[in-house]
Amino acid sequence: MFDWLGSTVHGLQQWLYETAVQPLLFALGWMRYAEELFDFTEWVVLGAIEVVVLAVLLGVAERLWPAEPVTDRRAIRTDVLYTLLHRLGGFALVVFALLTPLLDELEGALRLVGFSRINVDQLWPGVTDLPVVSFAIYLVLFDFVDYWLHRWQHRFGWWWALHAVHHSQRQMTFWSDQRNHLIDDLIRDAAMALVAVALGASPGQFVALVIASRVLQSVQHANLRWRWPGPLEGVLVSPSWHRLHHAIGYGHEGRTQGVNFAVLFPIWDVLFGTADWRPGFVPTGIRDQLEGRDYGRGFWSQQSKAIGRWFGRA
Ligand SMILES: [Zn+2]
Ligand SMILES: [Zn+2]
């Protein structure tokens, strides 16, 4: 199955590169970027497959088991735009173009000062170097970092100004995962890439980790009244559990400025006292939206209003 998927992705990558990317590079005289752009084409192909599969499966599921009725289609269309931009378009390219050379430099610099990566897969030879074990360890370590980044997104005023773009969606669907401020996305993507370098994840593992994590995050944002069966609900973040993180009166309130911050595994919220298991569905959004605060409807107004909030002007 994975071999088949791998060769399909590779075939599509080759085709897209030869029919669209290479002629463009040639016309622009940018053939020196050929190798980077070939790698980038793989991201686009994986992103496209991911978006199509999720749109079909979660689109059907949201019709069958919605957590709340759909009343604002325009708000959903904005989130679709965020998703396409992040998975297939310009933003992915910017991150790729900025991060790849930066990480190479950093690796070189670290080697010079004698820092050796923590090669997680070498901790217990014979066990931790099994692909599935090392993948699981990386996923848990990544998720621990993600939990704390998310806590800080709520804790620091400037960061909340950006993260509020994500929370201001009152019509949540599986498209909402990507509704983020671009600077916010850049910070988180850079942080995760740095963690991957520090822990010694290979580029192939990094791609698999990012894709596994973002597929699960799309599921959690879906407009679904799903809770996982039995003990699984305590192990993996479900749509209803993450919906509580977005709920008005829960998501950005109290001493910890919110509940249920975990990105994949609720264990972090349990350990650090931020888990909330109350059942039921509460409308999503930010409390001051009820008093009329405007976080913007379209892409540009959401992006620019966040900068305004950051500098105390909105
Ligand atoms: Zn949040
Ligand atoms: Zn969310």
Side-chain angles (χ1 to χ4, degrees):
M1 152 92 186
F2 286 107
D3 284 349
W4 173 83
L5 192 68
S7 61
T8 307
V9 169
H10 195 75
L12 284 169
Q13 177 188 6
Q14 195 82 34
W15 172 79
L16 186 65
Y17 181 76
E18 282 166 11
T19 48
V21 181
Q22 203 175 32
L24 189 71
L25 289 180
F26 202 71
L28 295 170
W30 286 354
M31 284 312 282
R32 62 185 175 282
Y33 300 118
E35 204 182 316
E36 285 83 359
L37 264 295
F38 183 72
D39 290 346
F40 174 69
T41 313
E42 187 191 14
W43 270 111
V44 175
V45 169
L46 288 170
I49 294 174
E50 187 190 323
V51 169
V52 170
V53 170
L54 289 177
V56 171
L57 296 181
L58 293 177
V60 170
E62 282 186 342
R63 268 163 206 269
L64 294 174
W65 303 283
E68 60 175 1
V70 172
T71 53
D72 188 353
R73 293 205 177 272
R74 190 180 151 211
I76 298 176
R77 280 198 293 274
T78 309
D79 288 358
V80 174
L81 180 72
Y82 276 101
T83 302
L84 298 181
L85 188 72
H86 191 269
R87 299 288 198 253
L88 313 177
F91 180 74
L93 182 62
V94 169
V95 170
F96 196 82
L98 285 179
L99 283 185
T100 316
L102 204 78
L103 290 178
D104 286 346
E105 294 262 315
L106 185 81
E107 274 231 72
L110 286 177
R111 218 171 303 134
L112 269 183
V113 297
F115 172 87
S116 56
R117 316 150 153 238
I118 316 153
N119 275 311
V120 171
D121 16 10
Q122 299 308 321
L123 290 178
W124 183 4
V127 176
T128 48
D129 48 7
L130 292 172
V132 54
V133 176
S134 68
F135 184 80
I137 297 176
Y138 282 125
L139 203 59
V140 170
L141 292 175
F142 265 55
D143 198 50
F144 174 73
V145 174
D146 239 350
Y147 170 84
W148 281 105
L149 291 178
H150 193 186
R151 287 285 300 266
W152 297 332
Q153 284 178 308
H154 284 256
R155 165 115 190 241
F156 300 116
W158 65 271
W159 211 345
W160 169 250
L162 302 179
H163 185 51
V165 172
H166 183 65
H167 277 263
S168 62
Q169 179 57 288
R170 302 176 72 179
Q171 182 77 72
M172 248 172 83
T173 66
F174 69 93
W175 299 103
S176 306
D177 174 37
Q178 284 319 302
R179 175 201 179 98
N180 291 303
H181 199 275
L182 297 181
I183 299 175
D184 200 5
D185 266 336
L186 198 63
I187 297 171
R188 285 186 68 145
D189 287 355
M192 293 330 261
L194 288 178
V195 173
V197 169
L199 295 179
S202 69
Q205 277 170 322
F206 183 62
V207 170
L209 287 163
V210 167
I211 300 225
S213 172
R214 64 194 202 184
V215 164
L216 289 169
Q217 288 179 65
S218 293
V219 175
Q220 292 159 19
H221 286 90
N223 179 19
L224 287 173
R225 48 177 61 258
W226 284 359
R227 236 172 270 286
W228 305 132
L232 191 62
E233 178 71 9
V235 177
L236 192 66
V237 173
S238 71
S240 15
W241 204 72
H242 189 66
R243 197 161 267 266
L244 208 64
H245 176 71
H246 281 262
I248 296 181
Y250 295 76
H252 187 62
E253 316 275 333
R255 187 181 54 82
T256 54
Q257 280 137 312
V259 294
N260 300 2
F261 295 95
V263 176
L264 301 182
F265 308 119
I267 181 76
W268 311 123
D269 284 293
V270 175
L271 288 177
F272 300 111
T274 49
D276 191 330
W277 305 94
R278 272 173 284 185
F281 293 95
V282 181
T284 62
I286 304 168
R287 189 195 285 278
D288 56 15
Q289 285 178 298
L290 301 178
E291 291 140 28
R293 189 170 192 182
D294 181 15
Y295 287 81
R297 291 277 290 164
F299 176 81
W300 288 114
S301 74
Q302 287 166 4
Q303 295 289 308
S304 60
K305 279 178 191 296
I307 301 294
R309 289 192 300 276
W310 184 344
F311 293 102
R313 296 220 183 89

